[in-house]
Amino acid sequence: MATTQSLLDAAVALAQTRRKADLDDLIEELRIPSISTLPERREDCLRNARWLGDRFDAMGMKTQIVDVVEGGLPVVIADWQGRPGKPHLTMYGHYDVQPVDPVDGWKSPPFEPAVHGGELWARGAADNKGNHMACVKAAEHLHAAGGLPINVRFVIEGEEEITGPSLPRYLRAHGADLKTDTVLIWDSGMDEDGRPTLATALRGLLYTELRAKGPAVDLHSGTFGGVAPNPINTLARVIGELKDRHGHVTIPGFYDAVRPPSAEELAAWKKNDARYVQNMRRMTGAKALEGEEDFLAVERTGSRPTLDANGFIGGFTGKGAKTVIPAEASAKVSMRLVPDQDWQAILPAFKRRVSELTTPGVEISVEVIGSAPPVTCGVDHNAARVLRAAYKEAFGSETALIRVGGSIPVAVDFQEAVGAPLVISGITQADSAIHSPNEHLVIDNYHRGIEAVIRFICGLAE
Amino acid sequence: MATTQSLLDAAVALAQTRRKADLDDLIEELRIPSISTLPERREDCLRNARWLGDRFDAMGMKTQIVDVVEGGLPVVIADWQGRPGKPHLTMYGHYDVQPVDPVDGWKSPPFEPAVHGGELWARGAADNKGNHMACVKAAEHLHAAGGLPINVRFVIEGEEEITGPSLPRYLRAHGADLKTDTVLIWDSGMDEDGRPTLATALRGLLYTELRAKGPAVDLHSGTFGGVAPNPINTLARVIGELKDRHGHVTIPGFYDAVRPPSAEELAAWKKNDARYVQNMRRMTGAKALEGEEDFLAVERTGSRPTLDANGFIGGFTGKGAKTVIPAEASAKVSMRLVPDQDWQAILPAFKRRVSELTTPGVEISVEVIGSAPPVTCGVDHNAARVLRAAYKEAFGSETALIRVGGSIPVAVDFQEAVGAPLVISGITQADSAIHSPNEHLVIDNYHRGIEAVIRFICGLAE
């Protein structure tokens, strides 16, 4: 068998000579509109799972496409245990993507990948097909160069964007069989300065839907205005008061469990905050940033919890005037939670606050449509050091330690059911517009990312 | 020529023997989906105007279908001046109707009129085809019985539901030619106790659309939550704070010009308020009524101004979860104004208040999409007395003097440009569900209404 170093060199050489094919493969996956939240896209999601399964089969891995939950989307599991005695690495990704609306906002069709000046534009390019394909290609190049130097497992799910139950249930049921030394969750990205990152924490999520019911039927605002309860006004007032104009969430006890940053973290953030604010202003394109004035911007997006309405609909929303007091209105409200907040403790406090803010003529129901606990992960272990070294080689840059504002709900299931150290990272640049129109990936990051994963895998073999 | 009394008797006899034909004629008009706010219904609106014009032609009236505003909907004017020296009556109505959404809420299709237990169900049955057809049928029966005993003019517009400019502009341009002794605005209805009414005031309207813009594009709430301005949260907070939970509008100066009721009005309202509250609870189907606690319910709907959001949309409103902070959100907000509030004075105060409540990262524009000044009208004149007597005969009931919560924007144009006393009334029962699904008219009211107008016209001839 070849030495790890010669294997690495051969695989990196392959990655450098097969760039066009590597990009074409990613483009092929991006053409599959695997939007998990839309029932009419179910067949596309299944097709994407099989497409991935075929790639793993081609490497001689033991591939399964597992239906865990009836009517859910399957988990793709691919195992290769050809190096007994060597470390075992699990690589996580998801093949499902977000809806594309507002579709008018796209400059090229979301499922017809287009290259614009070194960037690949498509829904899923950054979140998460660009990421997991970099891992898949790294494994393929190592396979072609003579065989993977360690044992590996891919776990790629189809319900990340809908916080579905399939993978968590699978992990909890098969934790013992999924023994591994490291879990690489490649569903994150570079920081605002273009450096590779390693996450020390992820925010959790509590996503709810509020339905406000007022009159039994839509009413004329002339005849009834003054006595009819208006579910839009009430729901708007509730949302307006759940978070005040200074970004402070008003749910009693909401901040009680929030773990403050360390002195070191705070010092690093202070140094970078002005540049971070500049980057955020550029990326949001907003006139001004918002949020809790007493906290740094970087702190507010990574280690402070927040609350946002993600959707609101009620009454007449067509063109022109219709003087109606509608029977109902509804809104989606999500909270991003940080260590050590517990969504199950916050939910009843949230419900109480909503009901306290409601007026007697309007009834507001609260339904949970998604949740994920926040996650913390240490970076003082071998896998983290190996990944930082791999990044240094592939990107020529030090790795930034960050707290991630987003949530990767399944991270906590890996942590609790599988138990191995988590390494959370990824290669999408900070302005990749994930979940937005014109999602895109810097193509150079994709190729460097393939090389970084090759180096990471070989590093773990040492 | 026949005496007025014999004419009246003959016309009333015709109304009683031709009930089926009278109902069928109304049903024919109700089949025309004349929704003025929808461009695709323009042809139907024009067809409705011609349909009315044909009826007036058949009575030998001088009929014009006048395009006042390019691209607007025409005004139908029909004149008959065959009784020189006798009084002149102008009768107003509108042939346009509201949109039908939410269409799922209808128990029978809105433009396929259906009779359910003495009620006629269709969009426009109550607002306003049932009303104006009762006037048309009264004229027809008098015509058939031997000729109208006074001079009459019909003015039927097609832009009432969109507060369009055509009729106001026409009235202002032709005020002098439209000399008349009385204007009957039959676009109102019975009170909650089923009594015929005569309005002493109408609320005015200021209808606005607010557009809130935050980030340049939709953003991921994980990556940006904590710093990105959220236009839904801000717009919701603005709407929540424009009117507090006690129904008090917080725009500085908003109540300054409100004319308090007379001692007599207040005494009458107090006597009826408990029953009014009961009726309103039944009609709204709401758990509880809302509004300013220090004022009677009947006062709050008739002589207090109010503010309602009539529509709100922003972000992801489909099924399931999408964690987006959207680039924009918008809402429709209308204010019902009372004598002597002036919408042109309130608009800048409203704009200032909105801008004061906005957060720095969100810009909210305010556009006026409808307005009408409040109207007061005396009831101490001959036409009012004649109508009350006609109602007593036709409905067997005294007439209630009311302040109408709704707005009839063109009333003020009649008042100012034509100058004759306004008589504002109508025959739709209080729970007719105008502007809502399942709009309906009590058919007996229609037939009694025809008789009442016959008696009113003959009464004016004396």
Side-chain angles (χ1 to χ4, degrees):
Chain A
M1 173 195 161
T3 65
T4 304
Q5 185 60 48
S6 64
L7 186 67
L8 189 161
D9 293 341
V12 167
L14 282 175
Q16 284 169 357
T17 53
R18 294 188 181 169
R19 290 192 154 203
K20 184 169 180 318
D22 287 356
L23 187 61
D24 286 347
D25 276 359
L26 171 56
I27 287 173
E28 196 174 302
E29 191 187 7
L30 288 170
R31 288 191 191 279
I32 308 174
S34 51
I35 303 170
S36 49
T37 205
L38 302 179
E40 65 269 29
R41 291 296 180 201
R42 177 174 170 75
E43 201 40 61
D44 294 303
C45 292
L46 300 178
R47 182 155 57 96
N48 203 142
R50 289 191 302 269
W51 186 90
L52 283 164
D54 290 347
R55 303 205 75 92
F56 298 130
D57 280 344
M59 284 187 264
M61 301 184 80
K62 187 184 146 208
T63 305
Q64 307 165 70
I65 295 179
V66 187
D67 279 320
V68 185
V69 170
E70 196 173 318
L73 293 166
V75 180
V76 182
I77 307 280
D79 261 306
W80 189 78
Q81 309 264 8
R83 294 279 178 261
K86 285 286 184 182
H88 185 283
L89 169 68
T90 296
M91 289 179 268
Y92 164 85
H94 61 90
Y95 61 82
D96 64 328
V97 299
Q98 281 275 320
V100 297
D101 47 313
V103 72
D104 291 349
W106 287 80
K107 288 181 189 150
S108 58
F111 296 109
E112 295 174 22
V115 174
H116 299 299
E119 296 168 352
L120 180 58
W121 287 38
R123 169 58 87 227
D127 183 16
N128 180 260
K129 295 179 181 178
N131 268 328
H132 67 235
M133 275 303 286
C135 295
V136 171
K137 299 308 299 188
E140 285 181 357
H141 293 320
L142 282 163
H143 176 70
L148 286 152
I150 58 170
N151 304 293
V152 303
R153 177 184 301 122
F154 282 93
V155 176
I156 305 200
E157 69 160 322
E159 298 180 351
E160 201 276 341
E161 299 295 2
I162 54 171
T163 318
S166 292
L167 183 56
R169 206 167 291 182
Y170 182 83
L171 293 177
R172 305 252 168 202
H174 298 87
D177 316 329
L178 296 171
K179 212 173 158 307
T180 192
D181 297 297
T182 305
V183 178
L184 175 67
I185 295 191
W186 245 38
D187 187 15
S188 175
M190 327 284 286
D191 78 355
E192 294 67 27
D193 291 323
R195 294 175 298 182
T197 68
L198 199 52
T200 59
L202 297 172
R203 287 202 284 202
L205 181 70
L206 173 55
Y207 197 141
T208 66
E209 180 142 11
L210 309 187
R211 291 186 177 278
K213 296 195 176 198
V217 293
D218 288 7
L219 299 170
H220 187 294
S221 74
T223 313
F224 295 97
V227 295
N230 184 328
I232 303 181
N233 283 65
T234 297
L235 187 57
R237 192 176 309 115
V238 167
I239 287 174
E241 295 192 23
L242 281 168
K243 183 172 81 173
D244 72 17
R245 54 192 294 116
H246 304 287
H248 182 81
V249 176
T250 65
I251 301 164
F254 185 72
Y255 295 98
D256 285 359
V258 173
R259 189 194 299 179
S262 68
E264 272 163 300
E265 280 179 307
L266 206 54
W269 293 343
K270 263 194 184 138
K271 229 176 53 190
N272 290 335
D273 203 58
R275 202 168 61 237
Y276 184 81
V277 166
Q278 236 174 9
N279 283 326
M280 279 288 159
R281 284 202 54 172
R282 179 176 49 80
M283 282 192 280
T284 61
K287 271 199 318 174
L289 298 183
E290 287 192 0
E292 299 170 289
E293 295 95 348
D294 297 345
F295 296 85
L296 297 167
V298 65
E299 190 171 4
R300 283 168 6 223
T301 50
S303 58
R304 292 292 295 173
T306 189
L307 179 149
D308 276 293
N310 305 105
F312 195 127
I313 190 163
F316 181 68
T317 57
K319 216 176 130 52
K322 186 178 186 220
T323 53
V324 74
I325 297 177
E328 55 180 84
S330 67
K332 296 182 194 274
V333 175
S334 69
M335 284 149 273
R336 296 282 172 178
L337 307 178
V338 300
D340 294 315
Q341 285 181 301
D342 175 1
W343 72 264
Q344 283 168 304
I346 285 173
L347 179 61
F350 175 72
K351 284 184 174 174
R352 267 196 306 278
R353 180 77 179 134
V354 168
S355 114
E356 189 181 292
L357 292 172
T358 308
T359 39
V362 176
E363 203 152 15
I364 303 184
S365 67
V366 176
E367 191 197 346
V368 175
I369 56 174
S371 67
V375 168
T376 52
C377 38
V379 292
D380 189 22
H381 52 74
N382 182 57
R385 281 186 288 272
V386 170
L387 184 63
R388 293 169 85 160
Y391 274 145
K392 185 79 194 276
E393 288 288 332
F395 287 89
S397 158
E398 294 298 335
T399 296
L401 299 183
I402 61 163
R403 291 199 180 196
V404 175
S407 315
I408 305 175
V410 83
V412 78
D413 301 293
F414 275 109
Q415 199 165 49
E416 292 177 7
V418 179
L422 298 183
V423 175
I424 302 177
S425 187
I427 52 163
T428 62
Q429 75 288 352
D431 68 350
S432 57
I434 64 170
H435 294 211
S436 301
N438 303 318
E439 177 175 349
H440 60 284
L441 175 69
V442 170
I443 294 169
D444 188 52
N445 282 8
Y446 175 59
H447 296 301
R448 287 179 193 265
I450 294 168
E451 185 186 327
V453 180
I454 292 170
R455 291 181 181 278
F456 176 57
I457 290 173
C458 292
L460 291 177
E462 299 293 307
Chain B
M1 173 193 163
T3 63
T4 306
Q5 185 61 47
S6 64
L7 185 67
L8 189 161
D9 292 341
V12 167
L14 283 175
Q16 284 169 355
T17 52
R18 294 187 182 172
R19 289 191 156 204
K20 182 165 181 321
D22 286 356
L23 187 61
D24 286 347
D25 275 359
L26 172 55
I27 287 173
E28 196 174 301
E29 191 187 8
L30 289 170
R31 289 191 191 280
I32 309 173
S34 51
I35 304 170
S36 49
T37 204
L38 302 179
E40 65 269 30
R41 291 297 180 198
R42 178 175 170 73
E43 202 39 62
D44 295 303
C45 292
L46 300 179
R47 182 156 55 95
N48 203 143
R50 288 191 302 267
W51 186 90
L52 283 164
D54 291 346
R55 303 205 74 93
F56 298 130
D57 281 343
M59 285 187 265
M61 301 183 82
K62 187 183 147 209
T63 306
Q64 306 165 69
I65 295 179
V66 189
D67 280 320
V68 185
V69 169
E70 196 172 319
L73 293 166
V75 179
V76 182
I77 307 279
D79 260 305
W80 190 78
Q81 308 264 7
R83 294 276 177 261
K86 284 284 183 181
H88 186 282
L89 169 68
T90 296
M91 289 178 269
Y92 164 84
H94 60 91
Y95 61 83
D96 63 328
V97 298
Q98 282 274 319
V100 297
D101 48 313
V103 73
D104 292 349
W106 287 81
K107 287 180 190 149
S108 58
F111 296 110
E112 296 174 22
V115 174
H116 299 298
E119 295 168 354
L120 181 59
W121 286 39
R123 169 59 86 227
D127 185 15
N128 180 259
K129 295 178 182 179
N131 268 328
H132 67 235
M133 274 303 286
C135 294
V136 171
K137 298 308 297 188
E140 286 181 357
H141 293 320
L142 282 164
H143 177 70
L148 287 152
I150 58 171
N151 304 292
V152 303
R153 176 183 303 122
F154 282 93
V155 176
I156 306 200
E157 68 160 323
E159 297 179 352
E160 201 276 340
E161 300 295 0
I162 54 172
T163 318
S166 291
L167 182 56
R169 205 168 292 181
Y170 182 83
L171 294 176
R172 305 251 169 204
H174 297 87
D177 316 329
L178 296 171
K179 211 173 158 308
T180 192
D181 298 295
T182 305
V183 178
L184 175 67
I185 296 191
W186 244 37
D187 188 14
S188 176
M190 327 283 287
D191 78 355
E192 294 69 27
D193 292 323
R195 293 176 298 183
T197 68
L198 200 52
T200 60
L202 297 172
R203 287 201 284 202
L205 180 70
L206 173 54
Y207 197 140
T208 65
E209 181 142 13
L210 309 188
R211 291 186 178 280
K213 297 197 175 195
V217 293
D218 288 6
L219 298 170
H220 188 293
S221 72
T223 314
F224 296 97
V227 296
N230 183 328
I232 303 182
N233 282 65
T234 297
L235 187 57
R237 192 176 308 115
V238 168
I239 288 174
E241 294 192 24
L242 281 169
K243 184 173 80 172
D244 71 17
R245 53 191 295 116
H246 305 286
H248 183 81
V249 176
T250 65
I251 301 164
F254 185 73
Y255 294 98
D256 285 359
V258 173
R259 188 193 301 180
S262 68
E264 271 162 302
E265 280 178 306
L266 206 54
W269 295 343
K270 265 194 183 136
K271 227 175 57 191
N272 290 334
D273 202 57
R275 203 167 61 236
Y276 184 80
V277 166
Q278 237 176 8
N279 282 325
M280 278 287 157
R281 285 202 53 173
R282 179 175 50 79
M283 281 191 279
T284 61
K287 273 200 316 174
L289 298 183
E290 286 193 0
E292 298 169 289
E293 295 96 348
D294 297 344
F295 297 86
L296 298 167
V298 64
E299 190 172 4
R300 276 154 31 209
T301 50
S303 59
R304 293 290 296 173
T306 189
L307 179 149
D308 277 292
N310 305 105
F312 195 126
I313 189 163
F316 180 69
T317 57
K319 218 176 129 51
K322 187 178 186 220
T323 52
V324 74
I325 296 177
E328 55 179 85
S330 67
K332 296 182 193 272
V333 175
S334 68
M335 285 149 271
R336 296 282 172 175
L337 306 178
V338 300
D340 293 314
Q341 284 181 301
D342 175 1
W343 72 265
Q344 283 169 304
I346 284 172
L347 179 61
F350 174 73
K351 284 184 172 174
R352 267 196 306 277
R353 179 77 179 135
V354 168
S355 114
E356 188 182 291
L357 292 172
T358 308
T359 40
V362 175
E363 203 152 15
I364 303 184
S365 67
V366 176
E367 191 197 345
V368 175
I369 56 174
S371 65
V375 168
T376 51
C377 38
V379 292
D380 189 23
H381 52 74
N382 183 56
R385 282 186 289 271
V386 170
L387 184 62
R388 293 169 84 160
Y391 275 145
K392 185 79 192 276
E393 289 287 330
F395 287 88
S397 157
E398 292 300 333
T399 297
L401 299 183
I402 61 163
R403 290 197 180 198
V404 176
S407 314
I408 305 175
V410 82
V412 78
D413 301 294
F414 274 109
Q415 200 165 48
E416 293 176 7
V418 180
L422 297 183
V423 176
I424 302 177
S425 188
I427 52 163
T428 61
Q429 74 288 353
D431 67 350
S432 56
I434 64 171
H435 293 211
S436 302
N438 303 319
E439 177 175 349
H440 60 282
L441 176 68
V442 169
I443 294 170
D444 188 53
N445 281 9
Y446 175 59
H447 296 301
R448 287 178 193 265
I450 294 169
E451 186 186 327
V453 180
I454 292 171
R455 290 181 182 279
F456 176 57
I457 290 174
C458 291
L460 290 178
E462 300 291 307

